[in-house]
Amino acid sequence: MAVLTFVEHWEGKFKKTSYESISYGRKISDDLNQPLYVVTLGAENIEDLKKYGADYIINVPKINLDNTSNMSIAKLITEAINSIQEDKPSTIIISNTNTGKSIAPILASILNSGLITNAIDHPESYNPLTINCKVFSSKAIAKYQSNYKQNIITIVPNSIGGINEKNGDGKLIELNIDTDLFVDKKITVKNRNKLSGKISLSDAEIVVSAGRGLKSSENWNMIEELADLLGAGTACSKPVSDMGWRPHSEHVGQTGIAINPDLYIAIGISGAIQHLAGVSNSKNIVVINIDPEAPFFKAANYGIVGDAFTVVPKLIEAIKRHKN
Ligand SMILES: Cc1cc2nc3c(=O)[nH]c(=O)nc-3n(C[C@H](O)[C@H](O)[C@H](O)COP(=O)(O)OP(=O)(O)OC[C@H]3O[C@@H](n4cnc5c(N)ncnc54)[C@H](O)[C@@H]3O)c2cc1C
C-alpha cells in the first residue's frame, strides 16, 4: 500500500510546508518499503518535487484554483487517489495549513478513512498506526492510535524533522479530467486580499511580533524594519488586530494562527495564556518587555527588560552593524 502526500503551491511556487510533507511521506515510504505519490493541482515547477523523494507526481494540469472551494479540492484529490491502479495509498499526508486543515476532514469523510490531526512526530508504530499529536492548543500531547486501513495524517508545520533532500524518480502522471465539474457552483469568490507581510506566517522561520505595549499603529515601522533585517514575518497580539493597528492575518494565538518558528521575538506583549497557546511551540522565544513581572518571561529562552522604544532601535543598529 502506497503513501501519498498532497502539496500546495502559491502562485506556482511550492510552499516550504509542501517540501516538509514530502519529506515526512518519504520517511514513511522508506519505513514501509512502499512508493511515494505526490499530488498537486495546476503546478508548473514540478521538477522541484523530485528532490525530496517523490516516486510519482500526479498533477492536474491547467486548473484555475481561483474559484475552487475546499470541497472541490478534496474531490480532485480523491480523483487522483482513484487514478492509482495498484498500490492504493494506505497513508495520506497533508500539511496542517489553513487549506490542509479544511480539506483533511472532507477527504476523510469521502474516503471513509481514519483521520489523525496535528501530528508532531513520525509514527511510533504502523500497526496500528500510532502518532503523537498536539492537543488543547498545544498544552498537551496525545498519543493517537487508528485501526483504519487507510489513514489521513495532518502534520504541524515546522515541528517534525524539517526538509530532507532525497532524489526520487518523480515519474509524472498528468490527470486529464474535466476540472469544471469540480468547481463549486455554490461558492463565488468576490475578492481576495493579499496578506500584508512579505513572508507568510506559516512559512516564516523567524517571526517578529508586537503587542499593545507599542501604543499605536504608527509605531510599527521599527517592527517592520527589524523583521526585514532578519528576513522575518510579522505578527501581533489579538487586541492589536482588534483595534485595527494590524491586519487580522497577523493575529497569533488561541483564536488566531498557531505558529512554530525557529525564533519568535515578542515585543510589548504580556504573554497571556491565549497568546502563548499559538506561539509556545516556537523553538526559541525572545521577550522584550518593560515590566520584569510580565508572564511572557516565564516562557522565554531570552528576556530583555526594557522599553521597546529604546531596545528595538538599538537591536536594529546592532544587526545593521553586524551585517556590514
Ligand atoms: C477567549 C479569548 C481568546 C483570546 N485569544 C487570543 C489570541 O488568540 N491571541 C492573543 O494575543 N490574545 C488573545 N486573547 C487576549 C489575551 O487574553 C490578552 O488580553 C492579550 O494577549 C493581551 O495582548 P497584549 O499582550 O498585546 O496587551 P497587554 O496585555 O496590554 O500587554 C502589553 C504589554 O506590553 C508591555 N509594555 C508596555 N509598554 C511597553 C514598552 N514601552 N516597552 C516594552 N513593553 C511594554 C506591558 O508591560 C505589557 O506586558 C484572548 C482572550 C480571550 C478571552
Side-chain angles (χ1 to χ4, degrees), residues 260-298:
N260 314 279
D262 293 335
L263 174 61
Y264 183 71
I265 304 177
I267 303 166
I269 303 176
S270 57
I273 192 153
Q274 297 89 354
H275 185 86
L276 290 176
V279 303
S280 58
N281 279 345
S282 307
K283 297 200 175 70
N284 288 289
I285 296 179
V286 174
V287 168
I288 302 171
N289 199 302
I290 204 163
D291 175 8
E293 302 298 321
F296 220 147
F297 283 120
K298 290 204 181 85

Side-chain angles (χ1 to χ4, degrees), residues 210-215 236-240 242 251-257 267-278 288-292 294-296 304 306-310:
R212 205 148 46 177
L214 269 264
K215 320 276 191 259
C236 67
S237 64
K238 183 175 182 294
V240 164
D242 286 348
H251 155 202
V252 289
Q254 185 183 317
T255 46
I257 306 174
I267 303 166
I269 303 176
S270 57
I273 192 153
Q274 297 89 354
H275 185 86
L276 290 176
I288 302 171
N289 199 302
I290 204 163
D291 175 8
F296 220 147
I304 301 172
D307 186 333
F309 297 99
T310 313

Side-chain angles (χ1 to χ4, degrees), residues 19-40:
Y19 301 133
E20 259 180 11
S21 42
I22 302 177
S23 299
Y24 187 87
R26 184 69 256 170
K27 163 90 172 67
I28 297 183
S29 293
D30 289 344
D31 287 352
L32 298 174
N33 201 17
Q34 293 297 328
L36 174 66
Y37 287 80
V38 174
V39 175
T40 184

Side-chain angles (χ1 to χ4, degrees), residues 44-255:
E44 280 158 22
N45 305 314
I46 291 166
E47 288 294 305
D48 259 18
L49 303 178
K50 282 187 194 176
K51 283 192 271 175
Y52 305 94
D55 293 313
Y56 300 93
I57 300 165
I58 306 181
N59 184 32
V60 181
K62 295 188 196 93
I63 177 171
N64 177 2
L65 293 175
D66 285 353
N67 273 313
T68 42
S69 65
N70 292 324
M71 174 64 86
S72 35
I73 292 174
K75 283 184 187 165
L76 285 162
I77 300 171
T78 309
E79 285 296 305
I81 292 170
N82 290 341
S83 75
I84 301 171
Q85 297 303 316
E86 295 157 16
D87 309 324
K88 289 282 180 209
S90 60
T91 315
I92 297 161
I93 295 136
I94 296 177
S95 185
N96 223 34
T97 59
N98 278 342
T99 304
K101 266 188 243 178
S102 309
I103 56 175
I106 303 173
L107 197 58
S109 153
I110 296 173
L111 299 173
N112 196 19
S113 63
L115 173 63
I116 297 184
T117 58
N118 284 318
I120 50 163
D121 225 334
H122 288 106
E124 199 175 279
S125 114
Y126 290 102
N127 194 12
L129 184 66
T130 310
I131 310 184
N132 285 330
C133 299
K134 64 171 197 164
V135 290
F136 301 132
S137 305
S138 305
K139 285 193 222 47
I141 293 173
K143 197 181 290 297
Y144 279 124
Q145 230 172 45
S146 167
N147 292 316
Y148 279 83
K149 285 208 174 89
Q150 185 182 54
N151 290 289
I152 297 171
I153 306 170
T154 73
I155 59 170
V156 176
N158 204 21
S159 66
I160 314 161
I163 298 169
N164 302 312
E165 292 202 11
K166 180 172 186 185
N167 279 335
D169 283 350
K171 206 166 161 236
L172 178 63
I173 303 166
E174 293 226 317
L175 205 60
N176 286 307
I177 47 177
D178 183 358
T179 49
D180 279 352
L181 294 176
F182 294 89
V183 172
D184 197 333
K185 305 235 166 48
K186 291 190 196 116
I187 291 172
T188 316
V189 179
K190 296 273 190 196
N191 69 330
R192 282 171 192 272
N193 294 327
K194 283 209 169 183
L195 300 186
S196 63
K198 291 179 187 138
I199 299 178
S200 98
L201 269 184
S202 52
D203 281 349
E205 281 163 14
I206 304 177
V207 172
V208 178
S209 185
R212 205 148 46 177
L214 269 264
K215 320 276 191 259
S216 92
S217 60
E218 282 92 63
N219 295 327
W220 246 262
N221 287 350
M222 64 178 185
I223 302 300
E224 285 178 339
E225 189 178 358
L226 180 60
D228 278 351
L229 280 169
L230 295 172
T234 47
C236 67
S237 64
K238 183 175 182 294
V240 164
S241 65
D242 286 348
M243 289 183 292
W245 293 357
R246 297 298 290 176
H248 272 290
S249 55
E250 288 195 2
H251 155 202
V252 289
Q254 185 183 317
T255 46

